[in-house]
Amino acid sequence: MSKKHVILTGDRPTGKLHIGHYVGSLKNRVALQNTGDYDTYIMIADMQALTDNARDPEKIRHSLLQVALDYLAVGIDPAKSTILVQSQIPALNELTMAYLNLVSVSRLNRNPTVKTEIKQKAFGESVPAGFFIYPVSQAADITAFKADTVPVGEDQEPMLEQTREIVRSFNNIYQQEILVEPEGYFPPKGQGRIPGLDGNAKMSKSLDNAIYLGDSADTIQKKVMSMYTDPEHVHIEDPGHIEGNTVFTYLDIFAEDRDHVEELKAQYQHGGLGDVKIKRYLNEVLQAKLQPIRERREAFAADEGAVYDILKQGSEKANQVAAQTLHEVRHAIGIDYFG
């Protein structure tokens, strides 16, 4: 029997997850989990979230449960995937320290993903050190479980490349093939990120332009009816544009009746179709998609203790795996002085 591939993926607990997370990663995780071809570790990265939220720890504590509920609601099965909490795996901290000695400050400065996120968060010269070394911490997360497959968005490829550099450096310096180089598993082209309700290029909690997996039916309807469409489509009889029209972007992603969507596009471009009608159709599509997810979420939320038990059991299992990797790393470096 061939050895299973190993997946490591996860999210920062800084709030509930939205349909952008579902399209970009959660749907893929469920599909991969259900193939039976992978040992899957899904991490709630609370320590990483604290790197830029250290002064608001309650936000992280509250969001931990919210993210876990979203995982379970979309179909992540604790019998098939190990759901773990980053802070409960002490080996990750020591692995991070070991890897930091293999990475220069100038190399971290060149990481385009980190540079972009530092700019987005407007840190200026006050970048938290923990945030700055995030690529190294991520390398510890991935290598602790010897993951060879990491489902991420395309913008995270520079982070994976830095992990591969660390793996190669470690294995070369200590002359042992202990760590595994990971490869990214990316969503189909153009499906890894969906725009926000306001037409912004990215759906984001911080921009308040998201539909959340746990949103009520009324909330979803209100958000859909307020969505950005085509500012030049003033009157129903005016020809409209579908490029950059967020409603049609969502229909392309979520609607199953492709023929109907194409008919709506043609009518909208010709003129004679109003924004309200296409928004009502999108609302129907999203309600059908999100209602079962919301109902499962509510069922799990009724027993929070059981959810925390799932996280505890997953973290305990993951802790054993990471501790074994740390043992091998210590032995390779030669710092297991006392056996």
Side-chain angles (χ1 to χ4, degrees):
M1 181 181 294
S2 60
K3 186 179 179 181
K4 284 187 176 182
H5 291 284
V6 180
I7 285 176
L8 186 282
T9 187
D11 299 278
R12 289 161 37 103
T14 55
K16 296 179 181 179
L17 302 182
H18 51 64
I19 60 174
H21 295 114
Y22 179 76
V23 171
S25 60
L26 297 176
K27 184 170 66 172
N28 277 340
R29 294 178 198 175
V30 174
L32 291 171
Q33 156 198 277
N34 291 340
T35 65
D37 296 333
Y38 300 88
D39 284 331
T40 303
Y41 294 88
I42 302 179
M43 173 184 290
I44 304 180
D46 57 334
M47 291 298 290
Q48 207 288 314
L50 282 168
T51 62
D52 57 331
N53 290 278
R55 290 168 176 78
D56 188 12
E58 178 55 33
K59 174 183 178 181
I60 309 305
R61 290 194 293 267
H62 173 75
S63 298
L64 181 77
L65 177 65
Q66 301 306 313
V67 171
L69 289 172
D70 287 331
Y71 283 173
L72 298 169
V74 300
I76 292 174
D77 185 349
K80 299 177 181 178
S81 297
T82 302
I83 307 174
L84 62 133
V85 181
Q86 185 182 34
S87 62
Q88 305 307 299
I89 316 297
L92 300 179
N93 298 321
E94 188 172 338
L95 288 171
T96 299
M97 186 64 201
Y99 300 162
L100 278 170
N101 298 322
L102 307 178
V103 180
S104 68
V105 172
S106 63
R107 176 62 181 91
L108 287 169
N109 266 322
R110 293 197 306 273
N111 189 302
T113 304
V114 175
K115 288 169 68 175
T116 298
E117 293 184 0
I118 287 174
K119 183 177 180 180
Q120 289 174 344
K121 295 179 183 297
F123 284 135
E125 296 298 318
S126 301
V127 183
F131 192 89
F132 183 66
I133 67 166
Y134 169 43
V136 184
S137 173
Q138 187 184 61
D141 297 339
I142 295 168
T143 59
F145 305 101
K146 300 190 176 180
D148 57 12
T149 306
V150 182
V152 289
E154 292 179 0
D155 60 333
Q156 294 296 306
E157 173 58 28
M159 307 290 264
L160 287 178
E161 179 55 32
Q162 190 140 26
T163 295
R164 289 190 284 266
E165 289 175 10
I166 289 171
V167 168
R168 290 193 289 266
S169 293
F170 184 93
N171 289 344
N172 181 59
I173 291 169
Y174 300 111
Q175 295 296 299
Q176 295 191 47
E177 295 296 316
I178 292 175
L179 305 182
V180 176
E181 289 192 38
E183 293 296 330
Y185 182 94
F186 304 102
K189 196 73 173 177
Q191 296 184 24
R193 175 176 291 181
I194 64 175
L197 302 174
D198 55 0
N200 190 288
K202 181 180 181 182
M203 181 172 285
S204 167
K205 289 173 279 190
S206 61
L207 295 176
D208 193 28
N209 62 358
I211 293 176
Y212 294 93
L213 297 174
D215 276 348
S216 69
D218 286 345
T219 299
I220 293 169
Q221 182 178 18
K222 289 176 182 176
K223 289 182 176 181
V224 169
M225 298 309 292
S226 70
M227 283 177 65
Y228 177 87
T229 54
D230 174 12
E232 298 179 10
H233 187 244
V234 180
H235 305 290
I236 291 178
E237 61 271 17
D238 292 339
H241 299 89
I242 60 174
E243 297 81 6
N245 188 320
T246 308
V247 175
F248 280 109
T249 301
Y250 283 27
L251 287 173
D252 282 338
I253 294 171
F254 292 103
E256 296 182 4
D257 189 342
R258 306 309 312 157
D259 291 338
H260 185 53
V261 172
E262 293 305 315
E263 290 172 5
L264 291 175
K265 286 182 179 179
Q267 188 178 355
Y268 191 81
Q269 290 174 303
H270 180 269
L273 179 62
D275 289 339
V276 170
K277 186 172 181 178
I278 59 171
K279 288 180 178 180
R280 284 176 177 165
Y281 178 57
L282 175 60
N283 178 60
E284 293 175 8
V285 169
L286 290 179
Q287 297 287 2
K289 176 70 68 174
L290 296 177
Q291 180 180 347
I293 293 175
R294 181 172 62 249
E295 290 176 350
R296 287 193 296 269
R297 195 181 196 282
E298 291 170 352
F300 282 112
D303 189 353
E304 292 183 2
V307 177
Y308 279 114
D309 282 342
I310 289 171
L311 297 180
K312 180 182 178 182
Q313 292 167 14
S315 298
E316 289 173 347
K317 175 185 175 182
N319 201 32
Q320 294 177 2
V321 176
Q324 174 59 34
T325 300
L326 176 59
H327 170 75
E328 295 171 11
V329 165
R330 281 172 153 246
H331 180 73
I333 297 173
I335 57 173
D336 54 344
Y337 303 118
F338 311 116

